Amino acid sequence: MKNIKKIELDNYLETETIDTGETYYLEEELYIDENSIKNKSLVRVDINIVQFPIFSKNTKKRKNEITTYYFNKNRDTYITVTPSAGEYIPGETEEVIFIALMSIMKRNGMRQEFYTTSSEIKLEAKINSKNYNSIIKNSLMRLSSTNYNFKNTMYSSENKGVISEEVSTPILTFKAKSLLEKNHQHLRAEFNDKRVKEAYWIKISDHFYDNMVKKGYLVYDSDLLLDLKSSIARTIYMLIEKLRFNQNYLKIDTVFLIKRIPLKFEKRNLSQTVKTLEGAFKELTSKNLIEKFNFLKESTWLKSEIEIYFPEISIVDKQNRFFEDLNYFKRISSNMLISDMEHEVITNEIENKNITPEMIDEIFKLMPKEARKLATMPKTIYDALLKFGFKKVKNTANYMASQKNLKSPRAYFLKALENDWAQDIVDIVENKKLDFKENTLNFNRKIELEKKQNQDILFSKFEKLPLEIQNGIEGYVYRDYIQLCGMETKVQQLAFLGSRKKLICDYLEKYPQLIGESFSTEEKQNQAIEENLIILIDKEKLRNYVDEYVNIYIDLIKEENSNLEEIKKKIILECMRDFLNKTLTLEKLEDIIKKNLI
C-alpha cells in the first residue's frame, strides 16, 4: 500500500504531495507458553512492571514498517509501534538519546517540560560524530512522531495496575526553536552559553512521565548505561536488574530473554541468536555489571536456561542508587509528598512546609492494616495534620490500631479526630509505654555495660596468652565465622576484622577453659586443645616437623619406602593453603600426615 505524506506550505496556496513508499507491517509473537518454562516465577516477578520493547533491536528495519509485539497466545496483549510516514521506528540511537534526556530532565528539577540543546544532548549521550546536530534532531523528530499503541500492557500509577483498554501515545513532544527569531529570544536566559542558536523544547508524554515519578521504579546510572556499546547488553542489564530484585543470582529461560529483548527468533537459527546473547553478556561481565554467566543446555536451546551471578557489592550499589535518587527527588519536589513504600511516590500539593513525608509515613505505619490498604490514606493524613496537628493525629492513629474489624477505616479515623475519642485513652497508653520503654532501656543498658566489662576482661586474658595460642584460637574463630556465613570473600574478611574482638570473646565464652588459670578435672581433659591450637607459621618448623614425623614413623615400623619424598610432597601440598592463610594447626597437620601414611 502506498503511503502519502501531505505537507501544506503556509506561504503558498498549494499542497505538496510526497510519495514515501510502501507501508510494511511486521508482527512478532513475544508470548511464551508457560508450560515450557522451567522457572515460571519469572513471569510473576515481572507482573507489575512490563518491559516495553520501546526501542527496536532489529538491524534491518524498513521505512514505514509498523511493528506489533504480541505477549500472549490470544493476541490481546500487545504493543504496536507506528512510525510517521517515510520513517523508521526508534532504535538504538533513539534509546541513547532518550537516556540522555532523562539525565537532562533530572538536572532541570524533574520537570515534565524543559529546554535543552543539541550540544548538551551530544555531551550527555557521548556522541562523537561531527554530524551530531543532524543525528540528534532526526532522532528527536522520530521519538516525537512515532506512536505507541498499548493494549493490556501500559502500567498506570494512578490505577496501580495495567490499563486494560487501549492507550495511544508518543514518548515525547519536541519543538526546535530558533533563538535568532524575536519571539524566541527570551529563551536565551535558559542557557549560559550565549552562542546557542537553537533550543529544543521537550515535553515527556503524560503516561511515561507519571510512571517515572509516581510508581515503583528502578534507578539506573545513565553514565553506566551509555557506556555500554551494545544496545542488547543495555536492555539485558536493565531487565535482569528488575528480575533479580535483591538477589545476587538469577536463573532465566533463554527463550524468555530472547523474546523479551526482543531478538530474532527462528528455531533453526536459534544458536546464532544465542551467540548474540553471549556477546552481550560478555560485555556486561567486562564492565563488572555481572560476575559471570552460564548457559545451561541439557537438550535443545529451546529448553535451555541462563544462570547469572552478580557481584556481591552490586546489591549495595543498587540500594544506594535508589536512595540517593529518592533523597534528591525529595529535595527538588517541594510540591510533592513522597512515600517510598514499595518504591511508590504519591504527589500532593503541600502548602505547609512543616509537614514532612517522614511525619506522614510515621502515622501511616501506626494505622491498622485495613487503613494501610487505602490509596487515599496518605492524603487524608496530610489533610488531618493541617487541621489537627501532629500530636492529635498520632494519638488517633494509635487509638485506631487497637480497634478490630474496621469496615470504614478512613471514615472512622475522621470521626475519631472530630470527637476526640482517642485523647484520654491514648494518653494513658502512651505514659505506660514510656515508663516501660524507659525501664527496658535502663535494664538493657545495664546488661550491655556488664557484657562489655566481661568481654574486656576476657580479651585482656586472651592477649596475655602466647602468640601461637592466640593465633590458634583466632584461626578457629575465623573458621567458625566463615562456616556460619557460608562463603569466604573479601566482604566476609573485612567484616571479621571489624568484629574480631567480639567474635573472639563470644568464642571464649563458649570455651572458657582455653584461658582458665586453673583447670578442673574435666577441663584438664581438654587441655590438649590448647596444644593442638598451635599455628604453624614458620617454614623451617613445618619442614622439620613433617620430616621428623614421617622418618620416625617409617623407622619404627621398620619398613622400606621408596616413595618417601613423594609422600612428603603430597603432605606439604595439601597443607599449603592453610599454611599460607596462617590457619594450619598442629592438629590439622597431623591429620594430613596420617592420611598420607596409612
Side-chain angles (χ1 to χ4, degrees):
M1 182 180 75
K2 290 287 184 180
N3 195 35
I4 304 299
K5 183 177 181 181
K6 294 185 178 181
I7 303 175
E8 293 188 1
L9 305 176
D10 294 336
N11 297 331
Y12 303 93
L13 296 176
E14 64 180 67
T15 298
E16 180 182 359
T17 302
I18 301 174
D19 184 351
T20 59
E22 294 287 338
T23 295
Y24 301 94
Y25 293 88
L26 176 66
E27 296 182 351
E28 294 195 28
E29 304 281 357
L30 299 186
Y31 82 92
I32 303 169
D33 184 359
E34 195 172 354
N35 293 322
S36 69
I37 302 175
K38 294 178 182 177
N39 194 348
K40 297 179 183 178
S41 65
L42 289 180
V43 177
R44 293 194 293 272
V45 165
D46 197 34
I47 196 169
N48 292 321
I49 303 174
V50 177
Q51 176 65 40
F52 302 142
I54 300 296
F55 304 103
S56 174
K57 302 298 180 289
N58 186 356
T59 56
K60 297 180 180 179
K61 299 191 300 290
R62 294 180 293 182
K63 290 183 179 181
N64 303 322
E65 186 171 72
I66 299 172
T67 303
T68 301
Y69 304 100
Y70 290 102
F71 293 94
N72 69 343
K73 197 170 185 178
N74 296 331
R75 296 165 72 92
D76 61 356
T77 300
Y78 58 81
I79 299 172
T80 297
V81 188
T82 307
S84 61
E87 265 293 353
Y88 302 96
I89 63 174
E92 181 177 358
T93 304
E94 286 71 38
E95 179 182 33
V96 168
I97 288 174
F98 183 74
I99 293 170
L101 288 176
M102 294 302 94
S103 182
I104 295 169
M105 182 177 76
K106 186 173 182 179
R107 283 206 300 271
N108 280 272
M110 291 298 292
R111 295 202 302 266
Q112 186 175 5
E113 301 178 31
F114 57 92
Y115 283 95
T116 184
T117 63
S118 59
S119 56
E120 186 178 20
I121 295 173
K122 172 202 171 187
L123 187 65
E124 198 66 42
K126 302 178 182 178
I127 297 173
N128 298 319
S129 172
K130 292 181 180 179
N131 195 29
Y132 72 90
N133 199 16
S134 175
I135 292 172
I136 292 170
K137 198 167 186 178
N138 288 338
S139 291
L140 289 173
M141 290 293 293
R142 191 169 292 131
L143 284 169
S144 63
S145 62
T146 300
N147 190 71
Y148 290 84
N149 197 61
F150 296 85
K151 174 64 174 175
N152 291 322
T153 46
M154 169 64 85
Y155 178 90
S156 166
S157 57
E158 184 178 353
N159 293 354
K160 296 193 174 3
V162 175
I163 302 174
S164 58
E165 61 266 20
E166 291 194 32
V167 176
S168 184
T169 178
I171 297 178
L172 55 83
T173 306
F174 157 73
K175 292 179 183 177
K177 299 187 177 184
S178 172
L179 301 187
L180 300 177
E181 296 179 12
K182 288 184 179 181
N183 58 332
H184 293 156
Q185 286 184 356
H186 66 282
L187 295 176
R188 286 197 176 278
E190 296 278 339
F191 309 102
N192 294 325
D193 189 350
K194 302 307 176 186
R195 296 171 298 176
V196 174
K197 296 180 180 179
E198 190 173 49
Y200 295 157
W201 174 79
I202 307 291
K203 180 183 178 182
I204 307 299
S205 296
D206 290 343
H207 284 290
F208 291 94
Y209 181 76
D210 290 346
N211 285 341
M212 281 179 215
V213 297
K214 294 181 185 176
K215 81 178 188 84
Y217 56 88
L218 284 180
V219 178
Y220 297 98
D221 185 326
S222 61
D223 284 337
L224 184 151
L225 292 178
L226 294 172
D227 194 42
L228 291 169
K229 295 179 181 178
S230 164
S231 64
I232 296 171
R234 189 181 304 119
T235 299
I236 290 174
Y237 171 65
M238 296 178 77
L239 179 59
I240 62 178
E241 279 288 281
K242 291 178 183 178
L243 295 178
R244 74 171 176 130
F245 291 103
N246 289 324
Q247 302 298 319
N248 281 330
Y249 174 80
L250 176 67
K251 187 186 286 186
I252 186 170
D253 290 84
T254 306
V255 173
F256 172 87
L257 187 58
I258 288 170
K259 290 198 171 187
R260 272 306 176 99
I261 292 174
L263 295 176
K264 187 176 182 180
F265 182 75
E266 292 179 358
K267 292 181 182 179
R268 66 178 184 274
N269 292 325
L270 203 52
S271 59
Q272 293 300 316
T273 305
V274 170
K275 285 183 180 179
T276 303
L277 279 181
E278 187 175 12
F281 274 112
K282 284 180 179 178
E283 182 176 1
L284 294 177
T285 307
S286 69
K287 302 287 186 183
N288 296 318
L289 297 178
I290 63 173
E291 195 169 84
K292 61 179 180 178
F293 67 96
N294 296 308
F295 284 94
L296 306 176
K297 181 189 176 189
E298 295 179 2
S299 54
T300 65
W301 284 117
L302 282 172
K303 298 180 180 179
S304 66
E305 294 175 298
I306 309 167
E307 58 177 3
I308 307 158
Y309 297 84
F310 297 82
E312 293 212 13
I313 197 65
S314 65
I315 291 295
V316 178
D317 290 341
K318 186 177 181 180
Q319 291 172 344
N320 287 344
R321 285 200 308 268
F322 171 74
F323 286 113
E324 283 176 16
D325 176 82
L326 183 62
N327 290 333
Y328 172 82
F329 195 73
K330 285 180 179 179
R331 290 197 301 271
I332 66 173
S333 301
S334 59
N335 65 329
M336 288 186 177
L337 173 63
I338 300 174
S339 168
D340 60 0
M341 204 172 183
E342 291 296 326
H343 294 190
E344 194 164 37
V345 182
I346 303 167
T347 60
N348 289 295
E349 293 183 0
I350 294 181
E351 297 174 0
N352 188 339
K353 292 184 180 180
N354 293 325
I355 298 174
T356 65
E358 289 75 19
M359 291 165 64
I360 295 168
D361 191 48
E362 181 182 347
I363 293 168
F364 183 79
K365 288 177 180 177
L366 294 173
M367 291 281 187
K369 62 180 181 181
E370 294 91 347
R372 294 199 302 270
K373 291 178 181 178
L374 299 177
T376 57
M377 210 64 214
K379 179 67 165 64
T380 303
I381 294 171
Y382 169 70
D383 292 338
L385 286 170
L386 284 176
K387 187 174 180 180
F388 298 103
F390 180 76
K391 184 177 179 181
K392 186 171 182 178
V393 174
K394 183 178 178 181
N395 286 346
T396 305
N398 276 318
Y399 173 74
M400 281 188 67
S402 65
Q403 307 304 307
K404 296 181 179 180
N405 301 323
L406 291 174
K407 293 183 179 179
S408 302
R410 183 177 178 277
Y412 189 93
F413 175 62
L414 294 173
K415 285 182 180 180
L417 283 168
E418 291 287 350
N419 297 290
D420 285 332
W421 291 347
Q423 197 60 48
D424 293 336
I425 297 173
V426 173
D427 282 343
I428 295 171
V429 173
E430 285 292 300
N431 288 334
K432 285 184 177 180
K433 283 184 178 178
L434 287 172
D435 291 340
F436 177 76
K437 188 176 180 180
E438 187 174 353
N439 291 334
T440 303
L441 286 172
N442 289 335
F443 178 76
N444 288 339
R445 287 195 195 102
K446 185 178 179 181
I447 295 296
E448 286 296 323
L449 183 61
E450 288 178 358
K451 186 175 181 180
K452 186 178 183 303
Q453 289 172 347
N454 289 336
Q455 289 203 339
D456 287 343
I457 295 170
L458 204 57
F459 197 73
S460 177
K461 289 182 179 180
F462 167 76
E463 289 182 315
K464 291 177 182 177
L465 294 172
L467 186 60
E468 289 182 342
I469 300 297
Q470 288 186 42
N471 289 337
I473 293 173
E474 187 170 345
Y476 271 88
V477 174
Y478 180 73
R479 190 169 64 184
D480 281 5
Y481 172 74
I482 292 301
Q483 190 174 1
L484 183 65
C485 293
M487 63 181 70
E488 182 179 12
T489 66
K490 289 183 179 179
V491 174
Q492 278 75 39
Q493 291 169 358
L494 291 172
F496 177 80
L497 291 175
S499 306
R500 175 177 173 272
K501 180 178 176 180
K502 181 182 181 305
L503 291 169
I504 289 173
C505 289
D506 289 344
Y507 189 83
L508 293 175
E509 285 175 355
K510 288 170 63 178
Y511 305 102
Q513 64 269 26
L514 294 178
I515 55 170
E517 295 177 1
S518 60
F519 298 109
S520 64
T521 305
E522 184 180 347
E523 288 170 340
K524 286 180 180 178
Q525 294 175 357
N526 297 320
Q527 189 173 6
I529 293 175
E530 284 192 26
E531 296 171 357
N532 284 330
L533 282 175
I534 295 174
I535 296 288
L536 294 169
I537 56 176
D538 184 87
K539 287 187 287 186
E540 197 63 34
K541 284 184 180 180
L542 174 62
R543 187 185 302 110
N544 292 339
Y545 192 88
V546 172
D547 284 342
E548 190 174 355
Y549 195 116
V550 174
N551 290 336
I552 289 174
Y553 172 79
I554 295 299
D555 186 51
L556 286 173
I557 63 173
K558 295 181 179 179
E559 182 180 291
E560 293 294 330
N561 195 323
S562 58
N563 294 325
L564 201 59
E565 292 305 316
E566 288 298 320
I567 291 173
K568 291 179 183 179
K569 285 180 182 178
K570 287 182 179 179
I571 293 168
I572 294 297
L573 185 62
E574 194 169 339
C575 69
M576 185 56 66
R577 181 176 179 181
D578 288 317
F579 180 74
L580 293 173
N581 290 331
K582 298 184 179 179
T583 58
L584 180 62
T585 63
L586 196 57
E587 179 185 27
K588 191 183 291 185
L589 177 60
E590 288 177 355
D591 288 341
I592 293 171
I593 294 173
K594 288 174 187 176
K595 185 175 68 174
N596 283 278
L597 284 175
I598 295 173

